[in-house]
């Protein structure tokens, strides 16, 4: 990223679309556009399908990711753990009880054991038989002009495994955004995969008695710097994430942010007005159409 650009300009460039092998050409056009178009023109937000198009298909399955592409999402987001035999698999929970029916601990199971289960019928019988996807499986259906948001649910020990998988798949790192609630995982990602963008994630808790919200602005800014994050992935809490909140973080050095999980159009428009570079949603088709982000 051009460090001479203002924070506002830099944020409008975050996660530019399309990605892939034509990335440099489009990035150059985007930079030129900053100096040609009027300042009030707003860039379209990247619409990311949360665990795939998970309103319509079972979360974190190939069906959900294919549905996201069918709905013309700009990116997909999935959650990842690794198994006892060091396979990186896509699942939100530490165990398989909620979506797989039987309670197996992911970290204590092999991929073969996990593949004895199916992860679709909990959503609808039409999806019966959906297997647990690996990171490699999803990379195979990643279009070259789309983004893959990889949420790492463990500590930093998963990062070398992810790095090797991305290398073997020859995936352009410009298509990858790594996210995690664990700042050490983000730091390791920036160390081992510096060409991939990385956002540290946070939600918010407000004490009913004192009205104090944690983490504070200062804590967020400090964490972003400490882990060398490229930006913030913030919970879509409108009471906390205000224009003043974003302005202060930008003054503290935050260059970009995305929000999760946004399923109402008025919320999406609100975060669009704040300059979010990405909006993660269970309803990518509807939100993209409502924001006028269609191609």
């Amino acid at each position: 990223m051009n460090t001479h650009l203002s924070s506002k300009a830099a944020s409008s460039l975050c996660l530019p679309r399309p990605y892939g092998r034509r990335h440099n050409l489009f990035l150059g056009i985007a930079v030129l556009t900053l100096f040609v178009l009027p300042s009030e023109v707003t860039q379209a937000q990247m619409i990311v399908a949360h665990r795939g198009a998970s309103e319509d298909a079972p979360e974190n399955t190939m069906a959900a990711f294919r549905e996201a592409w069918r709905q013309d999402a700009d990116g997909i987001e999935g959650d990842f753990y690794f198994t006892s035999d060091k396979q990186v698999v896509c699942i939100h929970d530490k165990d398989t009880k909620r979506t797989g029916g039987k309670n197996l601990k992911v970290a204590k199971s092999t991929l073969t054991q996990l593949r004895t289960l199916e992860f679709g019928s909990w959503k609808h019988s039409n999806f019966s038989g959906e297997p647990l996807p690996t990171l490699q499986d999803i990379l195979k259906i990643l279009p070259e002009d789309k983004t893959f948001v990889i949420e790492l649910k463990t500590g930093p020990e998963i990062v070398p495994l992810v790095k090797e998988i991305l290398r073997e798949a020859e995936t352009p790192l410009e298509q990858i955004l790594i996210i995690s609630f664990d700042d050490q995982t983000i730091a390791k990602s920036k160390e081992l995969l510096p060409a991939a963008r990385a956002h540290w994630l946070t939600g918010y808790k407000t004490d009913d008695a004192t009205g104090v919200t944690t983490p504070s602005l200062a804590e967020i800014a400090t964490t972003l710097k400490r882990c060398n994050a490229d930006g913030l992935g913030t919970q879509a809490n409108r009471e906390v994430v205000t224009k003043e909140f974003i302005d202060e973080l930008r003054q503290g050095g935050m260059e970009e942010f995305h929000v999760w999980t946004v399923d109402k159009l008025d919320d999406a428009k609100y975060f669009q007005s704040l300059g979010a570079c990405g909006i993660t949603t269970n309803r990518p088709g509807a939100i993209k159409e409502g924001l006028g982000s269609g191609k």
Side-chain angles (χ1 to χ4, degrees), residues 65-164:
F65 297 128
R66 289 192 175 100
E67 177 62 20
W69 298 142
R70 192 192 70 78
Q71 293 184 21
D72 197 27
D74 303 306
I76 53 173
E77 181 266 352
D79 306 289
F80 294 89
Y81 288 90
F82 64 91
T83 65
S84 63
D85 53 345
K86 301 298 188 291
Q87 300 299 307
V88 178
V89 294
C90 188
I91 186 170
H92 179 269
D93 302 344
K94 292 181 179 180
D95 60 62
T96 61
K97 183 177 181 180
R98 181 172 62 89
T99 57
K102 183 178 179 181
N103 193 4
L104 297 180
K105 303 294 184 183
V106 175
K108 295 182 179 180
S109 304
T110 65
L111 178 60
T112 298
Q113 290 172 322
L114 294 169
R115 285 255 166 106
T116 63
L117 307 180
E118 63 86 22
F119 293 81
S121 61
W122 68 270
K123 181 79 170 179
H124 193 280
S125 59
N126 289 346
F127 298 105
S128 178
E130 278 290 320
L132 183 70
T134 64
L135 178 56
Q136 292 97 322
D137 292 333
I138 303 166
L139 288 170
K140 289 176 182 177
I141 65 164
L142 176 65
E144 70 171 26
D145 61 342
K146 301 290 187 177
T147 297
F148 189 2
V149 182
I150 299 174
E151 180 172 351
L152 301 180
K153 304 294 284 186
T154 73
E157 62 275 9
I158 197 173
V159 179
L161 302 177
V162 171
K163 177 182 178 179
E164 182 61 18

Side-chain angles (χ1 to χ4, degrees), residues 228-239:
N228 198 28
D230 296 294
L232 175 69
T234 175
Q235 180 187 19
N237 185 329
R238 290 178 62 163
E239 294 183 2

